[in-house]
């Protein structure tokens, strides 16, 4: 029976129950607010982070796990006889996966580092599938890698940003576009494509946001296998989207998650995202 350890980072948004059930190790990205660094594992909740972010004038800063944290984890599990599959958020949004690659080069053992090309639950889809196969014990790292590549290719992630302030401060969109967005109360719908956010469309009301997002799901040519929703104090829109989507797709369960602080930092208050993969 093969021993394969799955490692990921906190932006995947795994619950403690998921991590425990599938024996997944999570390395945490930290956030800095007004000079104080918080670890989401021990220092601040996603809800508490939103409160603190609302109180500060500066955009919180996020930091990837130190290379030393990866080295420590990799050395621990390789010493215990594990092969390692380390799956992380897109390198277009963070240097986390590159830190993982550097650490892998420093440690003896079979370590495979994967750029998921996603974040949030879009990343979690791959992590959970990998962990389930690893726990089975009958699959090789190569077979698991092939499976999660297939899931990646069939995944789509859309995010609705109701205020562009944080994207502007973080340099994610042009300043003029942000100015116009604030002036005209425009809401941005973006799609994560090839690991980076690209504008899908802009609309001017929550009603139009909801209708556009529902049309994306309704017009999906392939059957949706699983769909998750993540929000950053965007619960009203998220709940409405979930209710309507269940009717459209026939899905009986659409899990709802509060966004990881790193994601909330860039998406801003009121944002929600939905991600799914198809058959």
């Amino acid at each position: 029976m093969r021993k394969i350890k799955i490692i990921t980072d906190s932006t995947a948004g795994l619950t403690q129950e998921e991590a425990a059930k599938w024996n997944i190790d999570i390395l945490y990205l930290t956030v800095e607010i007004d000079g104080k660094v918080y670890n989401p594992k021990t220092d601040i909740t996603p809800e508490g982070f939103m409160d603190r972010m609302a109180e500060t004038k500066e955009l919180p800063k996020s930091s990837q796990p130190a290379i030393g944290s990866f080295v420590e984890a990799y050395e621990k599990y390789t010493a215990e006889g594990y092969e390692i599959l380390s799956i992380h958020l897109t390198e277009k949004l963070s240097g986390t996966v590159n830190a993982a690659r550097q650490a892998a080069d420093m440690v003896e053992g079979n370590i495979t580092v994967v750029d998921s090309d996603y974040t949030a639950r879009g990343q979690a889809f791959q992590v959970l599938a990998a962990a389930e196969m690893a726990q089975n014990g009958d699959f090789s790292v190569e077979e698991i890698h092939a499976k999660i590549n297939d899931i990646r290719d069939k995944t789509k992630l859309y995010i609705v940003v109701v205020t562009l302030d944080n994207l502007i401060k973080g340099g994610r969109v042009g300043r003029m576009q942000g100015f116009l967005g604030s002036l005209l109360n425009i809401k941005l719908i973006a799609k994560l494509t090839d690991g980076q956010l690209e504008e899908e469309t802009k609309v001017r009301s929550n009603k139009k946001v909801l209708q556009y997002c529902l049309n994306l799901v309704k017009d999906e040519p392939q059957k949706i296998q699983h769909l998750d929703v993540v929000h950053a104090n965007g619960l009203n829109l998220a709940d409405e989207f979930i209710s309507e989507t269940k009717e459209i797709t026939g899905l009986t369960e659409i899990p709802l998650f509060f966004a990881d602080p790193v994601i909330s930092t860039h998406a801003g208050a009121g944002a929600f995202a939905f991600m799914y993969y198809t058959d």
Side-chain angles (χ1 to χ4, degrees), residues 91-160:
E91 66 179 335
K92 303 288 180 58
L93 298 179
S94 169
T96 300
V97 73
N98 285 324
R101 288 169 179 150
Q102 292 177 56
D105 288 339
M106 299 166 64
V107 178
E108 294 291 332
N110 186 349
I111 304 168
T112 302
V113 177
V114 176
D115 182 344
S116 71
D117 268 347
Y118 282 93
T119 188
R121 300 296 296 187
Q123 176 182 341
F125 294 155
Q126 297 177 44
V127 173
L128 291 169
E132 184 174 1
M133 292 177 72
Q135 199 168 99
N136 178 282
D138 291 334
F139 300 98
S140 67
V141 168
E142 292 74 21
E143 288 171 319
I144 297 173
H145 196 182
K147 175 62 177 179
I148 64 175
N149 280 346
D150 183 59
I151 291 174
R152 178 200 63 204
D153 293 342
K154 295 175 178 177
T155 296
K156 293 181 182 177
L157 185 155
Y158 296 91
I159 181 168
V160 176

Side-chain angles (χ1 to χ4, degrees), residues 30-38 49 56 58-63 265:
T30 58
V31 288
E32 180 182 330
I33 307 173
D34 295 331
K36 184 175 181 179
V37 176
Y38 297 86
F49 173 78
T56 183
E58 297 295 325
L59 181 70
K61 300 175 183 178
S62 60
S63 296
T265 292

Side-chain angles (χ1 to χ4, degrees), residues 40-254:
K41 181 180 181 180
T42 56
D43 304 329
I44 197 167
T45 64
E47 296 86 349
F49 173 78
M50 295 300 298
D51 293 338
R52 293 299 310 273
M53 185 169 68
E55 295 168 357
T56 183
K57 294 181 180 179
E58 297 295 325
L59 181 70
K61 300 175 183 178
S62 60
S63 296
Q64 66 207 39
I67 293 177
S69 298
F70 285 102
V71 170
E72 182 179 359
Y74 294 166
E75 287 182 338
K76 176 181 186 296
Y77 292 115
T78 54
E80 294 175 4
Y82 283 94
E83 299 176 77
I84 294 173
L85 188 56
S86 197
I87 307 167
H88 300 286
L89 79 157
T90 169
E91 66 179 335
K92 303 288 180 58
L93 298 179
S94 169
T96 300
V97 73
N98 285 324
R101 288 169 179 150
Q102 292 177 56
D105 288 339
M106 299 166 64
V107 178
E108 294 291 332
N110 186 349
I111 304 168
T112 302
V113 177
V114 176
D115 182 344
S116 71
D117 268 347
Y118 282 93
T119 188
R121 300 296 296 187
Q123 176 182 341
F125 294 155
Q126 297 177 44
V127 173
L128 291 169
E132 184 174 1
M133 292 177 72
Q135 199 168 99
N136 178 282
D138 291 334
F139 300 98
S140 67
V141 168
E142 292 74 21
E143 288 171 319
I144 297 173
H145 196 182
K147 175 62 177 179
I148 64 175
N149 280 346
D150 183 59
I151 291 174
R152 178 200 63 204
D153 293 342
K154 295 175 178 177
T155 296
K156 293 181 182 177
L157 185 155
Y158 296 91
I159 181 168
V160 176
V161 181
V162 299
T163 172
L164 298 180
D165 292 346
N166 284 32
L167 284 177
I168 298 162
K169 291 176 184 177
R172 303 291 178 179
V173 296
R175 292 182 181 276
M176 181 57 68
Q177 181 181 358
F179 172 75
L180 292 174
S182 300
L183 182 66
L184 300 175
N185 195 30
I186 284 175
K187 290 116 176 42
L188 173 69
I189 301 175
K191 181 181 180 182
L192 197 61
T193 303
D194 295 328
Q196 58 188 358
L197 285 173
E198 295 184 356
E199 179 182 318
E200 173 78 14
T201 190
K202 294 189 290 286
V203 296
R204 295 189 184 181
S205 70
N206 286 346
K207 181 178 180 181
K208 290 183 177 180
V209 164
L210 185 62
Q211 192 56 59
Y212 191 92
C213 292
L214 290 172
N215 284 340
L216 287 171
V217 174
K218 183 172 64 177
D219 295 340
E220 174 58 55
Q222 303 297 320
K223 181 175 175 57
I224 294 174
Q225 296 295 307
H226 193 88
L227 188 150
D228 286 355
V229 177
V230 176
H231 77 97
N233 280 354
L235 188 57
N236 290 341
L237 263 176
D239 276 341
E240 197 170 353
F241 173 78
I242 288 172
S243 178
E244 297 277 358
T245 299
K246 283 183 176 179
E247 292 188 18
I248 291 171
T249 62
L251 293 169
T252 56
E253 290 187 18
I254 297 179

